[in-house]
């Protein structure tokens, strides 16, 4: 059986609750994070972005027809890096999430998101389908990299 290529946030939480809690805490620690999308010529675009975890999903909204929204409509692949905070301590480690953005236009879902988040309207709403979650941290002078992909066990790599 082939592993799934994408997963919803709730699937990740069910598979790896401890890592998911750490990842969510890293994103909740700061408001703004870095979103990478692909421009029409294939080059990367990075943008500041907010992330919300709500109703078992990872969500991000953006202004109508913003460059990043148009990028995701054309090519849904994305990568998020959690804000690492001030200085070099990176409390909790460096956290990155890759996946595919699914635009949500259902008025009931968008209405629930509006009640929860109160974003400026109108807006594009995207739900994340995860393809990879990576946490990198230093532990006892050793670099520890945790890699999760849908349908595969958590892999931990240690480098001295």
């Amino acid at each position: 059986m082939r592993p799934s290529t994408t997963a919803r946030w709730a699937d990740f939480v069910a598979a790896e609750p401890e890592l998911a809690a750490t990842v969510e805490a890293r994103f909740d620690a700061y408001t703004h994070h870095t979103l990478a999308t692909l421009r029409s010529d294939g080059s990367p675009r990075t943008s500041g972005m907010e992330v919300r975890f709500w109703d078992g999903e990872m969500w991000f909204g953006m202004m109508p027809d913003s460059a990043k929204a148009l990028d995701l409509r054309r090519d849904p692949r994305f990568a998020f890096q959690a804000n690492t905070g001030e200085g070099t301590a990176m409390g909790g480690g460096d956290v990155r999430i890759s996946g595919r953005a699914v635009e949500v236009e259902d008025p009931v879902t968008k209405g629930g998101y509006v009640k929860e988040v109160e974003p400026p309207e109108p807006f594009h709403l995207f739900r994340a389908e995860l393809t990879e979650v990576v946490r990198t941290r230093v532990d006892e002078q050793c670099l520890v990299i945790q890699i999760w992909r849908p349908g595969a066990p958590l892999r931990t790599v240690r480098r001295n």
Side-chain angles (χ1 to χ4, degrees), residues 35 65 77:
L35 169 69
D65 298 323
R77 293 176 293 171

Side-chain angles (χ1 to χ4, degrees), residues 19 93-96 132-139 142-149 153-160:
L19 179 58
D94 175 49
V95 172
R96 298 178 306 279
E132 182 178 71
V133 178
V134 178
R135 177 184 181 214
T136 305
R137 70 185 193 285
V138 176
D139 183 18
C142 177
L143 185 65
V144 180
I145 306 163
Q146 294 175 289
I147 304 157
W148 179 84
R149 292 187 178 115
L154 180 66
R155 187 165 57 111
T156 301
V157 177
R158 295 181 181 280
R159 294 190 181 149
N160 293 337

Side-chain angles (χ1 to χ4, degrees), residues 16-102:
E16 292 297 334
E18 187 176 320
L19 179 58
T22 299
V23 169
E24 196 166 330
R26 290 296 302 128
F27 275 96
D28 287 345
Y30 296 93
T31 303
H32 297 100
H33 309 284
T34 302
L35 169 69
T37 59
L38 296 171
R39 300 172 194 252
S40 59
D41 67 1
S43 64
R45 178 191 318 273
T46 58
S47 308
M49 190 80 237
E50 294 179 32
V51 172
R52 296 280 196 265
F53 298 94
W54 169 71
D55 198 29
E57 303 285 4
M58 178 182 166
W59 302 93
F60 39 105
M62 53 197 75
M63 293 172 28
D65 298 323
S66 63
K68 57 193 163 199
L70 298 176
D71 287 348
L72 290 172
R73 282 180 150 184
R74 185 182 52 261
D75 185 332
R77 293 176 293 171
F78 72 85
F80 259 108
Q81 180 165 9
N83 187 327
T84 56
E86 295 182 28
T88 59
M90 287 197 323
D94 175 49
V95 172
R96 298 178 306 279
I97 297 174
S98 300
R100 300 177 62 79
V102 176

